[in-house]
Amino acid sequence: MPVDFGSVGPEIVLAGTGMLLILLSAFVAKERQRPLAYVGILGILVALALSWADSGATGTALAGMVRLDPISTFFRVTFLAAALVVALTGLDFVQSRGVSVGEFYALLLLATTGAILMALAWDIVMLYIGLELLSVLSYVLAGFFREDPKSNEAGIKYFLNGALASAVLLFGLSMVYGLTGTTSIPGIAAGLGRAVQGPMAPVALLALGFILGALAFKVAAVPFHLWAPDTYEGAPTPFAGFLAAVSEGAGMAAIIRIVFTGMAPLSSSFGVWIAVLAALTMTVGNVTALWQTNFKRLMAYSSVAQVGYILVGLAVVTREGISSVLFYLFAYLFMTLGVFAVIAALSVQGQGEDIADYAGLGQRNPWMAGLLTLFMASLVGIPTTAGFMAKLGLISASVSGGYTWLALFLAVNSAISVGYYWNVVRNMWLRPSPEGAVPARRATSAAAGLGLAVAAVGVLVIGLLPNTFYVFAHWASFIPGH
Amino acid sequence: MTGVPLVDFLVVAGLLFAIGLWTALRRTNAIMILMGIELMLNAVNLNLVAFSRYMPGDAMRGMVFALFVLTVAAAEAAVGLAIIILVVRRRGVVDVNKVNLLRG
């Protein structure tokens, strides 16, 4: 049987570039590795072009291990776009810390490959391989600054929590295999359809609990979010952005694949479970964020809250819900990566990461302060930004899906979130600079400038011309079994 | 192979998983937590292989899945131990409760 490698072209390019970078960084001195980052960025661009050219493809490939359909194309494009923004905006930061740029980009590209494989998976073995590729490399990336005790701590905490979640997920998957006798996702859907009629129905629910719990861990949903603040605060800033935009998206993709498609016969149960998870996650995330003093930690709780919003769209288990989730994920990547890009760019210039350090930024560096204000406005959901249209989509999907109480939760939570975002914005524009604040240095490198521009343009274009993106998300939201 | 019914394997696997989970959640020594996680993965493999043996039809999938789990678990343990060694060298402790620069 010939293996159709062409259908996973973007992943092969990405993984190949990643491995090439590992090889090259062994031969290039650390101080001269900046060009290696450009090789990585080129690899991402080629993969992006290939997935765009391949976007019409449907069907299974690699002996039924992966499935190409609109939703997998959507996640490919989303993760590659996020990796591109991370790669552009993280370059100065990684280089300024005196570590191997080539290795960082190699790990970044391979982790992105893992995330895409999770979204393409049509078999639980492939889902697991993709998840582990993403996770294991993420542990290394979180602890990448070996000389920095905070980064070490982020690495060990992410590793211990993540490995535990993987084991729980696997136990659930092994039960599913026992119930259905197959590892292929459509086979599991058919087998579970029979199993829920018989005496094994409680076992199926138990397996669903293990799988959903473990994936909730991966996306940092409450009560499984405790690793997130420590990991975000200690990890290299560009990687914290990657965690928020790509890892969480990959977790959502896995939920759509294994829970929505594979466990579709149990859909009457998991809708309610996800709804409870969503309500808990956004409330705890937003309320805890109000007390944070470290900006990266604040963004960790903010991303927990955003996961809660995204879960609202999944809870309704309708096509409209999934479409709103996809729209949100796409819009979210630009806003959250924008914030982390600003944090990274300022910390290259020597500014601290506490919210207090941002006082007076409006006078010192109006461009950065302006961009940060735009991204935060989008995270709150102010009209004309991407965040507004994305939240509107979630609210309308949850109301028409019969979850009006959840839509109310979302609205109230958005109001709470204004508190901590406004705190940062007020600090920047209305407070004087602290003593000894880092003086203005407006110039950023071309790469960081380009990355910030992509993020800002993304936020504004999606906010002002949402139709194209609605059509894109709706096209992608078709999933088998619904 | 006769005599040992499937349910016996599942009971052992369930016990292993519970012991592993208990270890991972209760211990504060990073190495012990890692060992607990490895026990949980062994429970998974036992499950997969046992189901595979008793499954009519497409039986090899579980065994192959178990091989993948073994391989990936080895990679994961290698990365994990490297991170733990890094922390121990820097701080001199393996106790995760004493690794607490980040809080709030």
Side-chain angles (χ1 to χ4, degrees):
Chain A
M1 187 167 61
V3 181
D4 175 22
F5 285 115
S7 53
V8 284
E11 290 71 49
I12 292 178
V13 168
L14 211 54
T17 314
M19 287 187 272
L20 179 73
L21 285 178
I22 293 181
L23 192 68
L24 288 177
S25 48
F27 295 102
V28 182
K30 261 185 200 167
E31 307 76 47
R32 282 183 294 161
Q33 287 194 354
R34 196 175 170 94
L36 296 189
Y38 299 135
V39 175
I41 291 167
L42 188 68
I44 296 173
L45 284 174
V46 172
L48 203 52
L50 281 177
S51 25
W52 200 259
D54 216 21
S55 60
T58 47
T60 58
L62 302 187
M65 279 285 161
V66 300
R67 181 178 164 84
L68 298 168
D69 49 13
I71 200 165
S72 55
T73 303
F74 171 86
F75 279 115
R76 252 182 189 166
V77 171
T78 306
F79 296 157
L80 286 169
L84 183 67
V85 179
V86 172
L88 285 170
T89 55
L91 179 51
D92 297 333
F93 184 83
V94 176
Q95 204 180 21
S96 72
R97 300 292 292 261
V99 292
S100 164
V101 174
E103 282 171 23
F104 189 89
Y105 278 75
L107 294 170
L108 190 71
L109 262 62
L110 290 167
T112 311
T113 314
I116 298 177
L117 287 178
M118 279 170 81
L120 290 174
W122 202 229
D123 189 291
I124 53 177
V125 179
M126 182 53 98
L127 188 88
Y128 172 66
I129 301 289
L131 179 99
E132 287 296 307
L133 186 57
L134 171 64
S135 303
V136 172
L137 297 179
S138 295
Y139 309 145
V140 183
L141 281 167
F144 196 75
F145 294 154
R146 274 180 296 185
E147 307 301 320
D148 177 359
K150 281 188 168 184
S151 180
N152 295 167
E153 185 171 333
I156 195 170
K157 286 189 171 161
Y158 192 31
F159 166 69
L160 292 173
N161 285 305
L164 183 66
S166 293
V168 173
L169 175 78
L170 271 177
F171 200 70
L173 292 180
S174 78
M175 285 160 82
V176 167
Y177 171 67
L179 285 169
T180 61
T182 177
T183 57
S184 99
I185 287 175
I188 287 170
L192 277 182
R194 287 189 296 276
V196 291
Q197 313 288 334
M200 299 308 264
V203 183
L205 283 179
L206 192 63
L208 174 68
F210 277 118
I211 292 171
L212 209 51
L215 290 175
F217 221 112
K218 292 285 175 191
V219 300
V222 174
F224 310 107
H225 67 294
L226 292 168
W227 59 270
D230 288 346
T231 307
Y232 276 72
E233 185 184 342
T237 309
F239 172 68
F242 180 86
L243 265 181
V246 179
S247 286
E248 278 171 11
M252 298 296 172
I255 291 177
I256 290 174
R257 279 300 202 214
I258 179 67
V259 179
F260 277 57
T261 308
M263 309 188 88
L266 299 169
S267 61
S268 56
S269 305
F270 60 67
V272 184
W273 296 9
I274 296 176
V276 173
L277 213 56
L280 263 177
T281 304
M282 58 177 129
T283 311
V284 172
N286 276 322
V287 172
T288 324
L290 292 171
W291 278 275
Q292 299 309 315
T293 54
N294 178 291
F295 197 9
K296 278 164 82 182
R297 219 174 163 82
L298 172 91
M299 285 309 294
Y301 284 109
S302 150
S303 85
V304 169
Q306 304 282 337
V307 165
Y309 303 154
I310 295 169
L311 288 173
V312 169
L314 289 181
V316 292
V317 205
T318 56
R319 179 162 182 189
E320 196 193 348
I322 292 172
S323 159
S324 68
V325 166
L326 298 184
F327 187 90
Y328 203 104
L329 281 171
F330 195 71
Y332 177 57
L333 92 88
F334 294 105
M335 24 186 178
T336 191
L337 288 180
V339 174
F340 282 106
V342 172
I343 300 178
L346 290 174
S347 100
V348 171
Q349 303 183 1
Q351 170 159 328
E353 284 169 353
D354 280 335
I355 297 169
D357 296 324
Y358 282 73
L361 189 70
Q363 284 108 49
R364 280 178 286 143
N365 201 337
W367 270 103
M368 285 294 183
L371 282 171
L372 198 52
T373 310
L374 171 71
F375 297 134
M376 299 214 122
S378 184
L379 284 169
V380 175
I382 306 277
T384 74
T385 60
F388 173 70
M389 298 317 292
K391 263 186 194 158
L392 205 61
L394 285 177
I395 288 178
S396 105
S398 59
V399 170
S400 66
Y403 276 100
T404 313
W405 65 271
L406 209 51
L408 282 174
F409 248 92
L410 207 164
V412 171
N413 264 286
S414 299
I416 298 176
S417 77
V418 174
Y420 56 87
Y421 293 124
W422 169 245
N423 188 21
V424 176
V425 173
R426 186 186 51 188
N427 237 351
M428 287 194 300
W429 296 105
L430 302 178
R431 295 250 166 91
S433 299
E435 284 292 307
V438 180
R441 222 183 64 198
R442 296 217 179 109
T444 52
S445 72
L450 189 61
L452 277 167
V454 169
V457 169
V459 166
L460 285 174
V461 168
I462 298 175
L464 295 171
L465 307 164
N467 263 343
T468 325
F469 300 94
Y470 268 131
V471 172
F472 179 38
H474 185 75
W475 165 77
S477 64
F478 172 76
I479 58 168
H482 283 274
Chain B
M1 193 167 89
T2 51
V4 186
L6 175 61
V7 69
D8 289 14
F9 288 102
L10 301 185
V11 168
V12 173
L15 282 174
L16 265 181
F17 186 81
I19 295 169
L21 188 61
W22 181 255
T23 311
L25 293 178
R26 297 295 301 178
R27 292 294 191 129
T28 57
N29 182 318
I31 304 284
M32 292 304 286
I33 296 176
L34 188 58
M35 286 174 72
I37 293 167
E38 293 297 322
L39 272 186
M40 292 163 74
L41 291 174
N42 285 337
V44 170
N45 280 338
L46 188 58
N47 252 356
L48 287 172
V49 174
F51 282 135
S52 199
R53 172 67 184 78
Y54 286 88
M55 195 71 68
D58 197 6
M60 287 309 291
R61 288 206 177 205
M63 309 239 182
V64 174
F65 197 174
L67 279 177
F68 273 104
V69 175
L70 279 175
T71 319
V72 172
E76 200 173 46
V79 166
L81 284 172
I83 296 176
I84 293 172
I85 287 172
L86 203 61
V87 171
V88 172
R89 279 208 189 132
R90 202 150 295 280
R91 307 269 186 89
V93 286
V94 225
D95 190 325
V96 285
N97 283 349
K98 291 183 182 136
V99 183
N100 54 7
L101 280 179
L102 306 169
R103 49 177 53 216

